[in-house]
């Protein structure tokens, strides 16, 4: 199995001391910061954007995993790359030209992520599996934090892992939505290896919550 990577979602953080709280996750061992960008159109919510990413980039050594939940992401990919993203994930459902999004991300020398909503058949990823660095499977409806994990996602993760294995591709599969310490083994067993958690991390004990996940991952990987 690919190395397990933890990507706490700052959507659930307290933005009044965001950099310090992100530092707590890094101190506890998290490797990524998952950054959700919502436009109020592709999803029914609005979240942080370019100015916030630019402002926190100098304060963090974390890998910035930027998840664009926006319509026509090709309009903004280059700007998010310049703001400090290390990996840019766009939604299959948000663009008429996934190939152009991939080309733009590659042109900025960033890693490419492709995301699918819960209702989107996993087979749509087939034309792109050799062109991306990570597949993000949404395990809740995108747009809001704090939702419960959609149980049917487990089989979808398993199917995606099989698609990659059958093609001989060693791919990161990220899951986002409803992941807690008590159900994370379900998605790991199904084949996910990049784990996003928001409300389960950004609570009264950020360091302790992050460390609990990291300790579990270390035990799984020996």
């Amino acid at each position: 199995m690919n190395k397990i990577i933890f990507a706490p979602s700052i959507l659930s953080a307290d933005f009044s001391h965001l950099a310090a709280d992100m530092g707590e996750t890094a101190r506890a061992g998290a490797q990524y910061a998952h950054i959700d960008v919502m436009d109020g159109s592709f999803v029914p919510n609005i979240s942080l954007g370019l100015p916030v990413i630019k402002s926190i980039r100098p304060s963090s050594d974390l890998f910035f995993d930027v998840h664009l939940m926006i319509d026509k992401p090709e309009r903004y990919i280059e700007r998010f790359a310049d703001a400090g993203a290390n990996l840019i994930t766009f939604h299959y459902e948000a663009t008429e030209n996934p190939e152009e999004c991939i080309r733009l991300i590659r042109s900025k020398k960033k890693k490419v992520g492709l995301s699918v909503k819960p209702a989107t058949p996993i087979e749509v990823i087939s034309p792109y599996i050799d062109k991306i660095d990570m597949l993000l499977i949404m395990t809740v409806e995108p747009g809001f934090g704090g939702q419960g994990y959609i149980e049917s996602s487990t089989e979808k993760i398993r199917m995606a892992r099989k698609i990659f294995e059958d093609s001989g591709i060693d791919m990161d599969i990220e899951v986002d939505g409803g992941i807690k310490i008590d159900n994370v083994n379900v998605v790991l067993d199904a084949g996910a290896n990049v784990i996003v958690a928001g409300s389960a991390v950004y609570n009264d004990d950020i360091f302790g919550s992050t460390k609990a996940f990291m300790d579990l991952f270390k035990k799984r990987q020996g």
Side-chain angles (χ1 to χ4, degrees), residues 44-139:
N45 199 6
I46 297 173
S47 68
L48 60 92
L50 289 159
V52 174
I53 295 172
K54 285 181 181 178
S55 69
I56 59 176
R57 179 71 280 182
S59 303
S60 178
D61 293 327
L62 288 165
F63 183 96
F64 277 17
D65 168 21
V66 175
H67 177 195
L68 300 182
M69 289 179 271
I70 63 176
D71 279 320
K72 298 179 181 176
E74 55 272 23
R75 297 175 297 165
Y76 297 103
I77 282 170
E78 292 173 302
R79 293 173 66 185
F80 279 102
D82 291 339
N86 297 107
L87 180 150
I88 298 174
T89 297
F90 67 94
H91 268 265
Y92 170 83
E93 305 90 351
T95 179
E96 294 180 356
N97 196 344
E99 295 276 2
E100 174 65 5
C101 291
I102 293 168
R103 186 194 67 77
L104 286 167
I105 297 169
R106 291 284 184 221
S107 75
K108 300 298 287 187
K109 296 181 169 53
K110 305 297 181 179
K111 290 193 172 184
V112 179
L114 176 65
S115 183
V116 290
K117 289 182 175 183
T120 301
I122 199 63
E123 290 80 9
V124 303
I125 70 170
S126 294
Y128 314 107
I129 60 174
D130 61 344
K131 299 178 173 69
I132 62 175
D133 299 295
M134 187 179 76
L135 172 67
L136 168 55
I137 295 176
M138 292 301 301
T139 50

Side-chain angles (χ1 to χ4, degrees), residues 16-62:
S16 66
H17 39 80
L18 180 55
D21 286 357
M22 289 170 61
E24 284 293 282
T25 71
R27 193 166 66 88
Q31 305 99 319
Y32 285 14
H34 186 80
I35 302 174
D36 290 307
V37 179
M38 307 178 190
D39 64 356
S41 176
F42 179 69
V43 293
N45 199 6
I46 297 173
S47 68
L48 60 92
L50 289 159
V52 174
I53 295 172
K54 285 181 181 178
S55 69
I56 59 176
R57 179 71 280 182
S59 303
S60 178
D61 293 327
L62 288 165

